[in-house]
Amino acid sequence: MSGAAISTTPEPIPEFKQVLGHPRPLWMLFMTEFWERFAFYGIRWALVLYIVAQFYDGSGAGEAPANRLYGAYLALIYAASLFGGYVADRLIGPQRSILIGAVIMSAGLFMIAIPNEQVFRIGLATIIAGNGLFKPNISTMVGKLYPLEDPRRDSGFTIFYMGINAGAFVAPLLTGWLAEHTFGGSPDMPAYKVVFLTSGVGMLVSLVWFWFGRRQLGGVGRPPEGAEGRTRSLWVAVGTIAAVPLVYFLLTIDAGVLAWILGLLFVALCVLILTEGVREGAVQRDRALAMLIIFAFNVLFWMFFEQAGSSFNFLAQNIVDRDLSGWIFPVGWFQSVNPIAILALGPVFAWLWVRMGKANPSIPRKFGLGLIFNGLAFLLLMFALSSLVDDAGKIPFWTLVAVYVIQTVGELCLSPIGLSMVTKLAPVKLVGFGMGGWFLSTAIGNNLSGIFASHVSGEGGMTVASAHAGYTFGFWILIGLGALLFLIAPLINRLMHGVK
């Protein structure tokens, strides 16, 4: 594809009005992402449960295929970011990419409310195609609000990450309540249709919010020089819609085959980023290599973290004791534990990274901490499933809540720092593409998460034994990788040439 030439130097940063110590547009991007994440997390808790209830008549045999489809859906959500980053970098800029993506995502969310399996999968494919244009580019624009060496940069990304999780906190509570109390829904059979419709409305709010708020950005995120007309935007919209059948096909193939496809894409991305790094000099080459090494560890973090939308839902439904003095805690509400923990702990981490100054752990060691805390969450599940199971085959309510909180600590060590890392280490001409690479590594992890979750559920549905075996495996992998990353952190730091 041809594209307008892009400067090898960063875009000049306008003089933004400061609000609460950060550029004013950060708060507009915060709210845009809040509503997009509301839409995303509004359906996240319901997808695998809906697939089993609607298309497998509630049979436990549907859990494994539901997990694999969910993993493929998440994987393609993130993989599409690779192409969305390229489109923004070379064709139409982040602002227009976000607008087009929001429109297409909204359409997909309304489509999955139709109770037909083919239409449901086409709707998922439409969401994926639109999200590819939205997801990498709004994160990239946060990085464009700050000079490269601005000490507020990590703090700004953590604040932005709180916007993500504010939407993620509200969405399951609202959609879960609506599913059980409207359209004839009940705790035994939620009205999933209202979940999907409510999420579609949330995506429309995100679109409108950005449409009016983008004036605050000035020139940040505008189309590349020579591409200011709207013809390219029209072609991008048409091309994105035309890609939906391909995405639909990828959703239907075997998860193992999809893993190979994503792996090949990742290898191609590594070659492209390293080639550009070499062109920009030895320092940028080394930084790109450091970034790609961390991407590899990122794969395994998300493989186990993303059980939240798959096997943890079946764990909550089948094995966790949700009876709280006669009131049954909704399965979907467990999804709000992680974001509320982030809202509580996010400001602490934002303050901590600044407060620690020179003692602030390096990026590789923050990633190592993320893996270790994720592993400790699985250690708690191992203990609960081996020592705390009651006569009814249930584990205590508090254990799954604690698992989400422990995972949150690991996530805060890794995920917002990863977004910031890409904007610091990626070759200047490929920052958006580098952000797509970050999401591609997450995509591979998410696809593997679906495969892993399908093994946890087994052929007939999750049992205490199958869950214990699967989560024990997850613990040892995460602890081992975290320790390895701590050991090789000095080598990665040398490759980063002073980037903190």
Side-chain angles (χ1 to χ4, degrees), residues 132-280:
L133 290 174
F134 190 105
K135 191 170 185 63
N137 295 308
I138 195 162
S139 301
T140 298
M141 284 206 294
V142 173
K144 292 178 182 292
L145 302 179
Y146 300 90
L148 186 60
E149 302 301 328
D150 193 323
R152 302 173 301 165
R153 195 178 183 90
D154 279 2
S155 179
F157 269 98
T158 301
I159 290 170
F160 176 72
Y161 204 67
M162 288 173 63
I164 293 173
N165 287 280
F169 165 64
V170 173
L173 295 179
L174 179 59
T175 59
W177 184 88
L178 289 172
E180 292 188 2
H181 296 88
T182 61
F183 289 87
S186 68
D188 294 329
M189 181 50 65
Y192 293 108
K193 180 178 181 178
V194 72
V195 175
F196 305 142
L197 293 175
T198 303
S199 297
V201 171
M203 193 64 237
L204 289 176
V205 174
S206 177
L207 168 64
V208 172
W209 198 284
F210 186 76
W211 174 267
F212 289 104
R214 63 198 171 107
R215 297 188 183 100
Q216 300 176 19
L217 293 166
V220 173
R222 297 287 295 167
E225 184 180 351
E228 294 85 356
R230 296 182 179 178
T231 302
R232 285 192 181 189
S233 298
L234 177 61
W235 280 113
V236 166
V238 171
T240 304
I241 295 170
V244 169
L246 173 61
V247 179
Y248 173 85
F249 167 75
L250 293 173
L251 278 174
T252 62
I253 63 176
D254 182 78
V257 175
L258 180 60
W260 279 103
I261 293 172
L262 294 174
L264 291 173
L265 278 175
F266 186 70
V267 170
L269 174 137
C270 291
V271 171
L272 180 62
I273 288 180
L274 281 176
T275 300
E276 185 60 37
V278 169
R279 288 175 182 164
E280 294 185 13

Side-chain angles (χ1 to χ4, degrees), residues 35-56:
W35 285 108
E36 188 273 333
R37 292 290 88 183
F38 174 93
F40 181 84
Y41 285 96
I43 69 171
R44 180 177 184 242
W45 71 269
L47 283 175
V48 292
L49 302 177
Y50 172 74
I51 292 167
V52 172
Q54 182 70 37
F55 306 129
Y56 291 90

Side-chain angles (χ1 to χ4, degrees), residues 337-375:
V337 176
N338 167 258
I340 198 173
I342 286 181
L343 291 172
L345 298 175
V348 176
F349 277 80
W351 170 83
L352 183 64
W353 301 143
V354 175
R355 177 65 176 159
M356 292 182 72
K358 292 183 179 179
N360 193 349
S362 65
I363 289 174
R365 286 200 165 141
K366 286 176 182 174
F367 270 70
L369 287 171
L371 288 162
I372 289 169
F373 275 104
N374 198 1

Side-chain angles (χ1 to χ4, degrees), residues 44-45 48 307-317 331 335:
R44 180 177 184 242
W45 71 269
V48 292
Q307 297 308 299
S310 52
S311 73
F312 284 2
N313 276 335
F314 293 119
L315 182 75
Q317 180 177 259
V331 171
Q335 300 289 312

Side-chain angles (χ1 to χ4, degrees), residues 308-325:
S310 52
S311 73
F312 284 2
N313 276 335
F314 293 119
L315 182 75
Q317 180 177 259
N318 302 330
I319 298 176
V320 173
D321 182 3
R322 296 182 288 117
D323 188 342
L324 304 180
S325 301

